[in-house]
Amino acid sequence: MDPIRIAVVGMGKIARDQHLPAIAGNRAFSLAATVSPRDSGIEGVPHLRSLDALLEEGPAIDAVALCTPPQVRYDLAAQALARGIHVFLEKPPGATLAEVHALSAQAERTGASLFASWHSRFAAGVAPARAWLAERRIDSVKVIWREDVRVWHPGQAWIWEPGGLGVFDPGINALSIITHILPRPFFLSEATLEIPENRAAPIAADLHFRDTRGAPIHMDLDWRQTGPQSWDVLVETDAGTLKLAHGGAVLTLPSETVRNEDHEYPGLYARFATLVTGGRSDVDVSPLTLVADAFLRGTRLTTEAFFD
């Protein structure tokens, strides 16, 4: 079977650090082109300044990986789907829930595959954590997701704009994990969002959820962490404590610690290849729904101005 000819649209840090190596390491794909109005691309691969130019001038492609900021992703995805081109959406899948639902419906009409990717679900400890929790009683959950925005998103103004999500850009990774591993649905009870006086998106958030049996879930998000970074999930159960550390890479159970090789983006591309060859889509918006609920129901507090 011929490889899937894929173009990477948006050549920022995530594309270069994660998408390009994952594509290169998967024989189901061949990198047909890159697209960016500012980046010069990579040696030996056709580079175009816009998706319009790629679709008009070639080379021919079967799929696109959209690594742009979410605020501009809908039009690009809709344009590709209209031509029957398969679409891989970097997280979050869009700036609004409605546009992602519209893309999902369009993909169904055209027969192209649409993949709303959640890379943290492919962290090494997540699948075994899900399996272990499936037969446990969940008593409480605590999520601590604290990092330094100056380290991970230096100078990225779009992330502070409406649709950029602010601290929920990393926080949605945690939500993608817990919506996947917890055996019951959960929903927001209350939230406090701290928004710098010179920004439109939060720099920190404190969120309280509960699942359908009443188990409390507390989430602490902060972009002002210096020194060691914290990406941890702790689940108290009737069989002891489960801990996912380092963003899901390390799983600690009452009886053992599981450490495996990182395979987030290789796992995403393996999943995308399976969807394309099987003629299916995977569009789970539950993490984005919870973020939208936080903006809908959360109390907003103004905090001191933030400068890179």
Side-chain angles (χ1 to χ4, degrees):
M1 186 174 181
D2 292 335
I4 300 162
R5 299 167 296 180
I6 190 168
V8 174
V9 181
M11 288 290 288
K13 179 176 173 58
I14 196 69
R16 288 187 171 273
D17 289 354
Q18 301 292 348
H19 287 261
L20 295 181
I23 291 167
N26 190 323
R27 290 182 295 178
F29 293 94
S30 64
L31 182 61
T34 58
V35 175
S36 173
R38 291 173 292 275
D39 193 276
S40 58
I42 60 176
E43 186 177 354
V45 177
H47 181 76
L48 297 100
R49 295 184 61 80
S50 68
L51 182 58
D52 282 332
L54 173 61
L55 297 178
E56 291 174 8
E57 303 168 18
I61 58 170
D62 305 304
V64 292
L66 299 183
C67 305
T68 63
Q71 294 98 323
V72 301
R73 207 171 288 156
Y74 171 80
D75 288 336
L76 297 170
Q79 185 179 13
L81 291 171
R83 299 210 182 191
I85 294 168
H86 310 293
V87 175
F88 178 122
L89 298 170
E90 177 56 72
K91 68 86 187 171
T96 71
L97 284 164
E99 68 187 40
V100 182
H101 287 302
L103 290 175
S104 183
Q106 184 181 3
E108 186 174 352
R109 291 193 303 270
T110 63
S113 294
L114 179 66
F115 182 31
S117 70
W118 300 107
H119 67 81
S120 291
R121 287 184 175 176
F122 289 81
V126 171
R130 176 184 168 98
W132 191 84
L133 290 171
E135 299 179 356
R136 313 289 183 219
R137 186 191 73 228
I138 308 301
D139 294 329
S140 66
V141 181
K142 187 173 184 179
V143 179
I144 304 169
W145 222 257
R146 289 173 160 254
E147 64 181 42
D148 188 346
V149 65
R150 291 184 174 93
V151 172
W152 299 101
H153 296 282
Q156 295 181 14
W158 63 267
I159 213 164
W160 295 102
E161 296 301 321
L165 300 190
V167 76
F168 286 103
D169 180 80
I172 205 169
N173 294 332
L175 289 170
S176 76
I177 291 175
I178 62 175
T179 53
H180 189 61
I181 66 173
L182 296 180
R184 293 188 297 276
F186 60 93
F187 52 90
L188 186 72
S189 301
E190 60 179 300
T192 301
L193 313 181
E194 294 185 47
I195 303 174
E197 62 182 9
N198 62 332
R199 304 288 183 172
I203 196 168
D206 186 78
L207 304 106
H208 293 269
F209 306 91
R210 62 184 176 93
D211 74 10
T212 52
R213 290 189 182 176
I217 301 166
H218 177 233
M219 190 172 193
D220 171 17
L221 305 178
D222 204 310
W223 245 352
R224 299 166 295 196
Q225 180 94 327
T226 58
Q229 311 284 275
S230 303
W231 302 293
D232 301 323
V233 176
L234 294 96
V235 185
E236 299 294 341
T237 79
D238 57 336
T241 302
L242 174 149
K243 181 178 180 180
L244 279 168
H246 302 290
V250 180
L251 169 64
T252 301
L253 299 173
S255 60
E256 63 178 323
T257 296
V258 180
R259 299 173 185 267
N260 292 310
E261 183 180 352
D262 175 54
H263 59 278
E264 290 186 11
Y265 278 83
L268 287 176
Y269 274 93
R271 174 66 174 159
F272 188 41
T274 299
L275 293 173
V276 170
T277 57
R280 296 179 291 121
S281 292
D282 181 353
V283 188
D284 177 15
V285 295
S286 56
L288 185 59
T289 299
L290 293 168
V291 172
D293 286 350
F295 280 100
L296 181 67
R297 190 169 183 180
T299 298
R300 290 164 171 78
L301 301 179
T302 301
T303 189
E304 63 185 9
F306 174 83
F307 301 95
D308 285 332

